[in-house]
């Protein structure tokens, strides 16, 4: 209403805008809850990996290690590729045995998880993987990989 001084009182918002705003905030909150809830369930399900038969896993990994070493000795596989394959095989074996994401862990991560033997074995294979010129032959890395796999409890 206009008074004598020409002042207009502020207009009041309609109540439906208040409820519409609360509804939008509620919808956004429900959307975030819906998006994050399945991820939380999925992570807990991933951690509960069923234990596989260790001897079957061990024999399959040893066979793959032997095949990789034979392929490198015969020249069917590059030396660096063979070292990388051996590292991956050992990590895949340990990851399947423990249920941990071992293939993406650093040596420090492996040690912090109590996998010191695996970290030592991987460290022996690293020079062949990452040096400009492989420091030692594939046979030596294959032997380090076999020791890790056969010594696994």
């Amino acid at each position: 209403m206009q008074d004598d001084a020409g002042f207009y009182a502020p207009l009041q918002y309609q109540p439906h805008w208040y409820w519409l705003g609360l509804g939008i905030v509620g919808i956004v909150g429900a959307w975030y809850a819906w998006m994050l809830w399945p991820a939380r369930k999925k992570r807990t399900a991933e951690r509960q990996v069923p234990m596989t038969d260790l001897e079957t896993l061990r024999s399959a990994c040893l066979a793959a290690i032997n095949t990789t070493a034979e392929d490198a000795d015969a020249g069917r596989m590059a030396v660096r590729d063979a070292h990388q394959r051996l590292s991956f095989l050992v990590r895949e074996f340990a990851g399947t045995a423990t249920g941990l994401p071992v293939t993406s862990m650093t040596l420090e991560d492996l040690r912090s998880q109590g996998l010191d033997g695996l970290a030592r074995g991987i460290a022996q294979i690293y020079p062949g993987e990452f040096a400009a010129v492989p420091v030692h032959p594939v046979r030596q890395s294959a032997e380090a990989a076999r020791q890790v796999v056969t010594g696994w409890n």
Side-chain angles (χ1 to χ4, degrees), residues 53-135:
D53 181 26
L54 190 60
E55 290 307 315
T56 304
L57 183 62
R58 186 185 324 262
S59 63
C61 185
L62 289 173
I65 289 170
N66 292 336
T67 302
T68 303
E70 290 168 4
D71 286 347
D73 288 341
R76 292 185 297 263
M77 182 181 283
V79 175
R80 182 181 309 279
D81 292 342
H83 286 287
Q84 290 174 348
R85 175 84 175 139
L86 291 170
S87 177
F88 176 75
L89 288 170
V90 172
R91 286 174 176 268
E92 187 177 46
F93 168 80
T96 304
T98 62
L100 295 172
V102 177
T103 55
S104 61
M105 290 179 156
T106 64
L107 292 178
E108 191 60 37
D109 293 338
L110 293 173
R111 289 184 187 104
S112 70
Q113 291 292 326
L115 302 172
D116 295 326
L118 176 62
R120 281 191 301 274
I122 297 293
Q124 291 175 357
I125 300 172
Y126 267 3
E129 278 187 271
F130 299 114
V133 177
V135 178

Coordinates of all heavy atoms in Angstrom, one line a residue, residues 53-135:
D53 N 40.6 -71.9 -5.1 CA 41.5 -73.0 -4.8 C 42.9 -72.5 -5.1 O 43.2 -72.3 -6.2 CB 41.1 -74.2 -5.6 CG 42.0 -75.4 -5.4 OD1 42.5 -75.5 -4.3 OD2 42.1 -76.2 -6.3
L54 N 43.7 -72.4 -4.1 CA 45.0 -71.8 -4.2 C 45.9 -72.7 -5.0 O 46.7 -72.2 -5.8 CB 45.6 -71.6 -2.8 CG 46.9 -70.8 -2.8 CD1 46.7 -69.4 -3.3 CD2 47.4 -70.7 -1.3
E55 N 45.8 -74.0 -4.9 CA 46.7 -74.9 -5.7 C 46.4 -74.8 -7.2 O 47.3 -74.8 -8.0 CB 46.6 -76.3 -5.2 CG 47.2 -76.5 -3.8 CD 48.7 -76.0 -3.8 OE1 49.5 -76.2 -4.7 OE2 49.0 -75.3 -2.8
T56 N 45.1 -74.7 -7.6 CA 44.8 -74.5 -9.0 C 45.2 -73.2 -9.5 O 45.8 -73.1 -10.6 CB 43.2 -74.6 -9.1 OG1 42.8 -75.9 -8.6 CG2 42.8 -74.5 -10.6
L57 N 45.1 -72.2 -8.7 CA 45.5 -70.8 -9.1 C 47.0 -70.8 -9.2 O 47.6 -70.3 -10.2 CB 45.1 -69.8 -8.0 CG 45.4 -68.4 -8.2 CD1 44.7 -67.9 -9.5 CD2 45.0 -67.6 -7.0
R58 N 47.7 -71.5 -8.3 CA 49.2 -71.5 -8.3 C 49.7 -72.2 -9.6 O 50.6 -71.8 -10.2 CB 49.7 -72.2 -7.1 CG 51.2 -72.2 -6.9 CD 51.7 -73.0 -5.7 NE 50.8 -72.9 -4.6 CZ 51.0 -72.1 -3.5 NH1 52.0 -71.3 -3.5 NH2 50.2 -72.1 -2.5
S59 N 49.1 -73.4 -9.9 CA 49.6 -74.1 -11.0 C 49.3 -73.4 -12.4 O 50.1 -73.4 -13.3 CB 48.9 -75.5 -11.1 OG 47.5 -75.4 -11.2
A60 N 48.2 -72.7 -12.4 CA 47.9 -71.9 -13.6 C 48.9 -70.8 -13.8 O 49.3 -70.5 -14.9 CB 46.4 -71.4 -13.6
C61 N 49.2 -70.1 -12.7 CA 50.1 -69.0 -12.7 C 51.5 -69.5 -13.1 O 52.2 -68.8 -13.9 CB 50.1 -68.2 -11.4 SG 51.1 -66.8 -11.5
L62 N 52.0 -70.6 -12.5 CA 53.3 -71.1 -12.8 C 53.4 -71.5 -14.3 O 54.4 -71.3 -15.0 CB 53.6 -72.3 -11.9 CG 53.9 -72.0 -10.5 CD1 54.0 -73.2 -9.6 CD2 55.2 -71.1 -10.4
A63 N 52.3 -72.1 -14.8 CA 52.3 -72.4 -16.3 C 52.4 -71.2 -17.1 O 53.1 -71.2 -18.1 CB 51.0 -73.2 -16.6
A64 N 51.7 -70.1 -16.8 CA 51.8 -68.9 -17.5 C 53.2 -68.3 -17.4 O 53.7 -67.7 -18.4 CB 50.7 -67.9 -17.0
I65 N 53.8 -68.4 -16.3 CA 55.1 -67.8 -16.1 C 56.1 -68.6 -17.0 O 56.9 -68.0 -17.7 CB 55.6 -67.9 -14.6 CG1 54.8 -66.9 -13.8 CG2 57.1 -67.7 -14.5 CD1 55.0 -67.0 -12.3
N66 N 56.0 -70.0 -17.0 CA 56.8 -70.8 -17.8 C 56.6 -70.5 -19.3 O 57.6 -70.4 -20.1 CB 56.6 -72.3 -17.6 CG 57.1 -72.7 -16.2 OD1 58.0 -72.0 -15.6 ND2 56.5 -73.7 -15.6
T67 N 55.4 -70.3 -19.7 CA 55.1 -70.0 -21.1 C 55.7 -68.6 -21.5 O 56.3 -68.5 -22.6 CB 53.6 -69.9 -21.3 OG1 53.0 -71.2 -21.0 CG2 53.2 -69.6 -22.8
T68 N 55.6 -67.6 -20.6 CA 56.2 -66.3 -20.9 C 57.7 -66.4 -21.0 O 58.3 -65.8 -22.0 CB 55.8 -65.3 -19.8 OG1 54.4 -65.3 -19.7 CG2 56.3 -64.0 -20.1
A69 N 58.3 -67.1 -20.2 CA 59.8 -67.3 -20.2 C 60.2 -68.0 -21.5 O 61.2 -67.6 -22.2 CB 60.3 -68.0 -19.0
E70 N 59.4 -69.0 -21.9 CA 59.8 -69.8 -23.1 C 59.6 -68.9 -24.4 O 60.4 -68.9 -25.3 CB 58.9 -71.0 -23.2 CG 59.2 -72.1 -22.2 CD 58.2 -73.2 -22.2 OE1 57.2 -73.2 -23.0 OE2 58.3 -74.1 -21.3
D71 N 58.5 -68.1 -24.4 CA 58.2 -67.2 -25.5 C 59.4 -66.1 -25.6 O 59.8 -65.8 -26.7 CB 56.9 -66.5 -25.3 CG 55.7 -67.4 -25.6 OD1 56.0 -68.5 -26.2 OD2 54.6 -67.0 -25.3
A72 N 59.8 -65.6 -24.5 CA 60.9 -64.6 -24.5 C 62.2 -65.3 -25.0 O 63.0 -64.7 -25.8 CB 61.1 -64.0 -23.1
D73 N 62.5 -66.5 -24.5 CA 63.7 -67.2 -24.9 C 63.7 -67.5 -26.4 O 64.7 -67.5 -27.1 CB 63.9 -68.5 -24.1 CG 64.3 -68.2 -22.7 OD1 64.8 -67.1 -22.4 OD2 64.2 -69.1 -21.8
A74 N 62.5 -67.8 -27.0 CA 62.4 -68.2 -28.4 C 62.3 -67.0 -29.3 O 62.3 -67.1 -30.5 CB 61.2 -69.1 -28.6
G75 N 62.2 -65.8 -28.7 CA 62.1 -64.6 -29.5 C 60.7 -64.2 -29.9 O 60.5 -63.3 -30.7
R76 N 59.7 -64.9 -29.4 CA 58.3 -64.6 -29.8 C 57.8 -63.4 -29.0 O 56.7 -62.9 -29.3 CB 57.4 -65.8 -29.6 CG 57.8 -67.0 -30.6 CD 56.8 -68.1 -30.4 NE 56.8 -68.7 -29.1 CZ 57.5 -69.8 -28.8 NH1 58.2 -70.5 -29.7 NH2 57.5 -70.3 -27.6
M77 N 58.5 -63.0 -28.0 CA 58.0 -61.9 -27.1 C 59.2 -61.0 -26.8 O 60.3 -61.5 -26.6 CB 57.4 -62.4 -25.8 CG 56.9 -61.4 -24.9 SD 56.2 -62.1 -23.4 CE 54.6 -62.7 -24.0
A78 N 59.0 -59.7 -26.9 CA 60.1 -58.8 -26.6 C 60.5 -58.9 -25.1 O 59.6 -59.3 -24.2 CB 59.7 -57.4 -26.9
V79 N 61.7 -58.7 -24.8 CA 62.2 -58.8 -23.4 C 61.5 -58.0 -22.4 O 61.0 -58.4 -21.4 CB 63.8 -58.6 -23.4 CG1 64.3 -58.6 -22.0 CG2 64.5 -59.6 -24.3
R80 N 61.3 -56.7 -22.8 CA 60.6 -55.8 -21.9 C 59.1 -56.3 -21.7 O 58.6 -56.3 -20.6 CB 60.6 -54.4 -22.4 CG 59.9 -53.4 -21.5 CD 59.8 -52.0 -22.0 NE 61.1 -51.5 -22.4 CZ 62.1 -51.0 -21.6 NH1 61.8 -50.9 -20.3 NH2 63.2 -50.5 -22.0
D81 N 58.5 -56.7 -22.7 CA 57.1 -57.2 -22.6 C 57.1 -58.5 -21.7 O 56.1 -58.6 -21.0 CB 56.6 -57.6 -24.0 CG 56.4 -56.3 -24.9 OD1 56.3 -55.2 -24.3 OD2 56.2 -56.5 -26.1
A82 N 58.1 -59.3 -21.8 CA 58.1 -60.5 -21.0 C 58.2 -60.1 -19.5 O 57.5 -60.7 -18.7 CB 59.3 -61.4 -21.4
H83 N 59.1 -59.1 -19.2 CA 59.2 -58.7 -17.8 C 57.9 -58.1 -17.3 O 57.5 -58.4 -16.2 CB 60.3 -57.6 -17.7 CG 61.7 -58.2 -17.8 ND1 62.3 -59.0 -16.8 CD2 62.6 -58.1 -18.8 CE1 63.5 -59.3 -17.2 NE2 63.7 -58.8 -18.4
Q84 N 57.3 -57.3 -18.2 CA 56.0 -56.7 -17.8 C 54.9 -57.8 -17.6 O 54.1 -57.7 -16.6 CB 55.5 -55.7 -18.8 CG 56.4 -54.4 -18.8 CD 56.1 -53.5 -19.9 OE1 55.3 -53.8 -20.9 NE2 56.6 -52.3 -19.9
R85 N 54.9 -58.8 -18.4 CA 53.9 -59.9 -18.3 C 54.2 -60.7 -17.0 O 53.2 -61.0 -16.3 CB 54.1 -60.8 -19.6 CG 53.2 -62.0 -19.5 CD 51.8 -61.7 -20.0 NE 51.0 -62.9 -20.0 CZ 49.8 -63.0 -19.6 NH1 49.2 -61.9 -19.2 NH2 49.1 -64.1 -19.6
L86 N 55.4 -60.9 -16.7 CA 55.7 -61.6 -15.5 C 55.3 -60.9 -14.2 O 54.7 -61.4 -13.3 CB 57.2 -61.9 -15.4 CG 57.8 -62.9 -16.4 CD1 59.3 -63.0 -16.3 CD2 57.2 -64.3 -16.1
S87 N 55.5 -59.6 -14.2 CA 55.0 -58.7 -13.1 C 53.5 -58.8 -13.0 O 53.0 -58.9 -11.9 CB 55.5 -57.3 -13.3 OG 55.0 -56.5 -12.3
F88 N 52.9 -58.7 -14.1 CA 51.4 -58.7 -14.1 C 50.9 -60.1 -13.6 O 49.9 -60.1 -12.9 CB 50.9 -58.4 -15.5 CG 49.4 -58.6 -15.6 CD1 48.5 -57.6 -15.1 CD2 48.8 -59.7 -16.2 CE1 47.2 -57.7 -15.1 CE2 47.4 -59.8 -16.2 CZ 46.6 -58.8 -15.7
L89 N 51.5 -61.2 -14.1 CA 51.1 -62.5 -13.7 C 51.2 -62.7 -12.2 O 50.2 -63.2 -11.5 CB 51.9 -63.6 -14.4 CG 51.6 -63.8 -15.9 CD1 52.6 -64.7 -16.5 CD2 50.2 -64.3 -16.1
V90 N 52.3 -62.2 -11.6 CA 52.5 -62.3 -10.1 C 51.4 -61.5 -9.4 O 50.8 -61.9 -8.4 CB 53.9 -62.0 -9.7 CG1 54.1 -61.9 -8.2 CG2 54.9 -63.0 -10.3
R91 N 51.2 -60.3 -9.9 CA 50.3 -59.4 -9.2 C 48.8 -59.9 -9.4 O 48.0 -59.9 -8.4 CB 50.3 -58.0 -9.9 CG 51.5 -57.2 -9.4 CD 51.6 -55.9 -10.2 NE 52.7 -55.0 -9.8 CZ 52.6 -54.1 -8.9 NH1 51.4 -53.9 -8.3 NH2 53.6 -53.4 -8.6
E92 N 48.5 -60.5 -10.5 CA 47.2 -61.1 -10.7 C 47.0 -62.3 -9.8 O 45.9 -62.4 -9.2 CB 47.0 -61.5 -12.2 CG 45.7 -61.9 -12.6 CD 45.5 -62.2 -14.1 OE1 46.4 -62.9 -14.6 OE2 44.6 -61.8 -14.7
F93 N 48.0 -63.1 -9.7 CA 47.9 -64.2 -8.7 C 47.6 -63.7 -7.3 O 46.7 -64.2 -6.7 CB 49.2 -65.0 -8.8 CG 49.4 -66.0 -7.7 CD1 48.7 -67.2 -7.8 CD2 50.1 -65.7 -6.6 CE1 48.8 -68.2 -6.8 CE2 50.2 -66.7 -5.6 CZ 49.6 -67.9 -5.7
A94 N 48.4 -62.8 -6.9 CA 48.2 -62.3 -5.5 C 46.9 -61.6 -5.3 O 46.2 -61.7 -4.3 CB 49.4 -61.3 -5.2
G95 N 46.5 -60.9 -6.4 CA 45.2 -60.2 -6.3 C 44.0 -61.2 -6.2 O 43.1 -61.0 -5.4
T96 N 44.1 -62.3 -6.9 CA 43.0 -63.3 -6.9 C 43.1 -64.0 -5.6 O 42.0 -64.3 -5.0 CB 43.2 -64.3 -8.1 OG1 43.2 -63.5 -9.3 CG2 42.1 -65.3 -8.1
A97 N 44.3 -64.2 -5.0 CA 44.4 -65.0 -3.8 C 43.9 -64.1 -2.6 O 43.4 -64.7 -1.6 CB 45.8 -65.4 -3.6
T98 N 44.1 -62.8 -2.6 CA 43.8 -62.0 -1.5 C 42.5 -61.2 -1.6 O 41.9 -60.8 -0.7 CB 44.9 -60.9 -1.2 OG1 45.1 -60.1 -2.4 CG2 46.2 -61.6 -0.9
G99 N 42.1 -60.9 -2.9 CA 40.9 -60.1 -3.1 C 41.3 -58.6 -3.1 O 40.4 -57.8 -3.1
L100 N 42.5 -58.3 -3.0 CA 43.0 -56.9 -3.0 C 43.3 -56.4 -4.5 O 43.6 -57.2 -5.3 CB 44.2 -56.7 -2.2 CG 44.1 -57.0 -0.7 CD1 45.4 -57.0 0.0 CD2 43.2 -55.9 0.0
P101 N 43.2 -55.1 -4.7 CA 43.5 -54.6 -6.1 C 45.0 -54.5 -6.3 O 45.6 -53.4 -6.4 CB 42.8 -53.2 -6.1 CG 42.8 -52.8 -4.7 CD 42.7 -54.0 -3.9
V102 N 45.7 -55.6 -6.2 CA 47.2 -55.6 -6.2 C 47.7 -55.1 -7.5 O 48.8 -54.5 -7.6 CB 47.7 -57.1 -5.9 CG1 49.2 -57.2 -6.0 CG2 47.2 -57.5 -4.6
T103 N 47.0 -55.3 -8.7 CA 47.6 -54.8 -9.9 C 47.8 -53.3 -10.0 O 48.6 -52.9 -10.9 CB 46.7 -55.3 -11.1 OG1 45.4 -54.8 -10.9 CG2 46.7 -56.8 -11.2
S104 N 47.1 -52.6 -9.2 CA 47.3 -51.1 -9.2 C 48.0 -50.5 -8.0 O 48.0 -49.3 -7.8 CB 45.9 -50.4 -9.4 OG 45.1 -50.8 -8.2
M105 N 48.7 -51.4 -7.2 CA 49.4 -50.9 -6.0 C 50.9 -50.7 -6.3 O 51.5 -51.5 -7.1 CB 49.2 -52.0 -4.9 CG 47.9 -52.1 -4.3 SD 47.9 -53.3 -3.0 CE 46.5 -52.8 -2.1
T106 N 51.4 -49.7 -5.6 CA 52.9 -49.5 -5.7 C 53.5 -50.5 -4.7 O 52.9 -51.1 -3.9 CB 53.2 -48.1 -5.3 OG1 52.8 -47.9 -3.9 CG2 52.5 -47.1 -6.2
L107 N 54.9 -50.5 -4.8 CA 55.6 -51.4 -3.8 C 55.3 -50.9 -2.4 O 55.2 -51.8 -1.5 CB 57.1 -51.3 -4.1 CG 57.5 -51.9 -5.4 CD1 59.0 -51.8 -5.6 CD2 57.2 -53.4 -5.5
E108 N 55.2 -49.6 -2.1 CA 54.9 -49.2 -0.8 C 53.5 -49.6 -0.3 O 53.3 -49.9 0.8 CB 55.1 -47.6 -0.7 CG 55.1 -47.1 0.6 CD 56.2 -47.6 1.5 OE1 57.3 -47.8 1.0 OE2 55.9 -47.8 2.7
D109 N 52.6 -49.5 -1.3 CA 51.2 -50.0 -0.9 C 51.2 -51.5 -0.6 O 50.5 -51.9 0.3 CB 50.3 -49.8 -2.1 CG 50.0 -48.3 -2.4 OD1 50.2 -47.5 -1.5 OD2 49.6 -48.0 -3.6
L110 N 52.0 -52.3 -1.3 CA 52.1 -53.7 -1.1 C 52.6 -53.9 0.3 O 52.1 -54.8 1.1 CB 52.9 -54.4 -2.1 CG 52.3 -54.4 -3.5 CD1 53.4 -55.0 -4.5 CD2 51.1 -55.2 -3.6
R111 N 53.7 -53.2 0.6 CA 54.3 -53.4 2.0 C 53.4 -53.0 3.1 O 53.3 -53.6 4.1 CB 55.6 -52.6 2.0 CG 56.7 -53.2 1.2 CD 58.0 -52.4 1.4 NE 59.0 -52.9 0.5 CZ 59.4 -52.3 -0.6 NH1 58.9 -51.1 -1.0 NH2 60.3 -52.8 -1.4
S112 N 52.6 -51.9 2.8 CA 51.7 -51.4 3.9 C 50.5 -52.4 4.1 O 49.9 -52.4 5.2 CB 51.1 -50.0 3.5 OG 50.3 -50.1 2.4
Q113 N 50.2 -53.2 3.1 CA 49.2 -54.3 3.2 C 49.8 -55.6 3.8 O 49.0 -56.6 3.9 CB 48.6 -54.6 1.9 CG 47.7 -53.4 1.3 CD 46.5 -53.2 2.1 OE1 45.9 -54.2 2.6 NE2 46.0 -52.0 2.3
G114 N 51.1 -55.6 4.1 CA 51.7 -56.8 4.7 C 52.1 -57.8 3.6 O 52.3 -59.0 3.9
L115 N 52.2 -57.4 2.4 CA 52.6 -58.3 1.3 C 54.1 -58.0 1.0 O 54.5 -57.7 -0.2 CB 51.7 -58.0 0.1 CG 50.2 -58.2 0.3 CD1 49.4 -57.8 -0.9 CD2 49.9 -59.7 0.6
D116 N 55.0 -58.2 2.0 CA 56.4 -57.9 1.8 C 57.1 -58.9 0.8 O 57.9 -58.4 0.0 CB 57.1 -58.0 3.1 CG 56.7 -56.9 4.1 OD1 56.3 -55.8 3.6 OD2 56.6 -57.2 5.3
G117 N 56.7 -60.1 0.8 CA 57.3 -61.1 -0.1 C 56.9 -60.8 -1.6 O 57.8 -60.8 -2.5
L118 N 55.7 -60.4 -1.8 CA 55.3 -60.0 -3.1 C 56.0 -58.7 -3.5 O 56.5 -58.6 -4.7 CB 53.8 -59.7 -3.1 CG 53.2 -59.2 -4.5 CD1 53.4 -60.2 -5.6 CD2 51.7 -58.9 -4.3
A119 N 56.2 -57.7 -2.6 CA 56.9 -56.5 -3.0 C 58.3 -56.8 -3.3 O 58.9 -56.2 -4.3 CB 56.8 -55.5 -1.8
R120 N 59.0 -57.7 -2.6 CA 60.4 -58.0 -2.9 C 60.5 -58.7 -4.3 O 61.4 -58.4 -5.1 CB 60.9 -59.0 -1.9 CG 61.4 -58.3 -0.6 CD 62.2 -59.2 0.3 NE 61.5 -60.4 0.7 CZ 60.6 -60.4 1.7 NH1 60.5 -59.4 2.5 NH2 60.0 -61.6 2.0
G121 N 59.5 -59.6 -4.6 CA 59.5 -60.3 -5.9 C 59.3 -59.3 -7.0 O 60.0 -59.3 -8.1
I122 N 58.4 -58.4 -6.9 CA 58.1 -57.4 -7.9 C 59.3 -56.5 -8.1 O 59.6 -56.1 -9.2 CB 56.8 -56.6 -7.5 CG1 55.6 -57.5 -7.5 CG2 56.6 -55.4 -8.5 CD1 55.2 -58.1 -8.8
A123 N 59.9 -56.1 -6.9 CA 61.1 -55.2 -7.0 C 62.2 -55.9 -7.8 O 63.0 -55.2 -8.5 CB 61.6 -54.9 -5.6
Q124 N 62.3 -57.2 -7.8 CA 63.4 -57.9 -8.5 C 63.0 -57.9 -10.0 O 63.9 -57.9 -10.9 CB 63.5 -59.3 -8.1 CG 64.1 -59.5 -6.7 CD 64.1 -60.9 -6.2 OE1 63.6 -61.8 -6.9 NE2 64.7 -61.1 -5.0
I125 N 61.8 -57.8 -10.4 CA 61.4 -57.8 -11.8 C 61.4 -56.4 -12.3 O 61.6 -56.2 -13.6 CB 59.9 -58.4 -11.9 CG1 59.9 -59.8 -11.4 CG2 59.5 -58.3 -13.4 CD1 58.6 -60.5 -11.4
Y126 N 61.3 -55.4 -11.5 CA 61.2 -54.0 -12.0 C 62.3 -53.5 -12.9 O 62.1 -52.8 -13.9 CB 61.1 -53.0 -10.8 CG 59.7 -52.7 -10.3 CD1 58.6 -53.2 -11.0 CD2 59.5 -51.8 -9.3 CE1 57.3 -52.9 -10.5 CE2 58.2 -51.4 -8.9 CZ 57.1 -52.0 -9.5 OH 55.9 -51.6 -9.1
P127 N 63.6 -53.9 -12.6 CA 64.7 -53.4 -13.5 C 64.5 -53.8 -14.9 O 64.8 -53.1 -15.8 CB 65.9 -54.0 -12.9 CG 65.6 -54.2 -11.4 CD 64.2 -54.5 -11.4
G128 N 64.0 -55.0 -15.1 CA 63.8 -55.5 -16.5 C 62.6 -54.8 -17.1 O 62.5 -54.6 -18.4
E129 N 61.6 -54.3 -16.3 CA 60.5 -53.6 -16.9 C 60.8 -52.2 -17.2 O 60.3 -51.7 -18.3 CB 59.4 -53.6 -15.8 CG 58.5 -54.8 -15.7 CD 57.4 -54.6 -14.7 OE1 57.5 -54.8 -13.5 OE2 56.3 -54.2 -15.2
F130 N 61.5 -51.5 -16.4 CA 61.6 -50.0 -16.5 C 63.0 -49.5 -16.9 O 63.1 -48.3 -17.2 CB 61.2 -49.4 -15.2 CG 59.8 -49.7 -14.8 CD1 59.5 -50.5 -13.7 CD2 58.7 -49.3 -15.6 CE1 58.2 -50.8 -13.4 CE2 57.4 -49.6 -15.3 CZ 57.1 -50.3 -14.2
A131 N 64.0 -50.3 -16.9 CA 65.3 -49.8 -17.3 C 65.3 -49.6 -18.8 O 64.6 -50.2 -19.6 CB 66.4 -50.8 -16.9
A132 N 66.2 -48.7 -19.3 CA 66.3 -48.4 -20.7 C 66.7 -49.6 -21.5 O 66.2 -49.9 -22.5 CB 67.3 -47.3 -20.9
V133 N 67.6 -50.4 -20.9 CA 68.1 -51.6 -21.4 C 67.9 -52.6 -20.3 O 68.3 -52.4 -19.2 CB 69.6 -51.6 -21.8 CG1 70.0 -52.9 -22.3 CG2 69.8 -50.5 -22.9
P134 N 67.2 -53.8 -20.5 CA 67.0 -54.7 -19.4 C 68.3 -55.1 -18.7 O 69.2 -55.5 -19.4 CB 66.3 -55.9 -20.1 CG 65.7 -55.3 -21.3 CD 66.6 -54.2 -21.7
V135 N 68.3 -55.0 -17.4 CA 69.4 -55.3 -16.6 C 69.7 -56.8 -16.5 O 70.9 -57.2 -16.5 CB 69.2 -54.6 -15.2 CG1 70.4 -54.9 -14.3 CG2 69.0 -53.1 -15.3

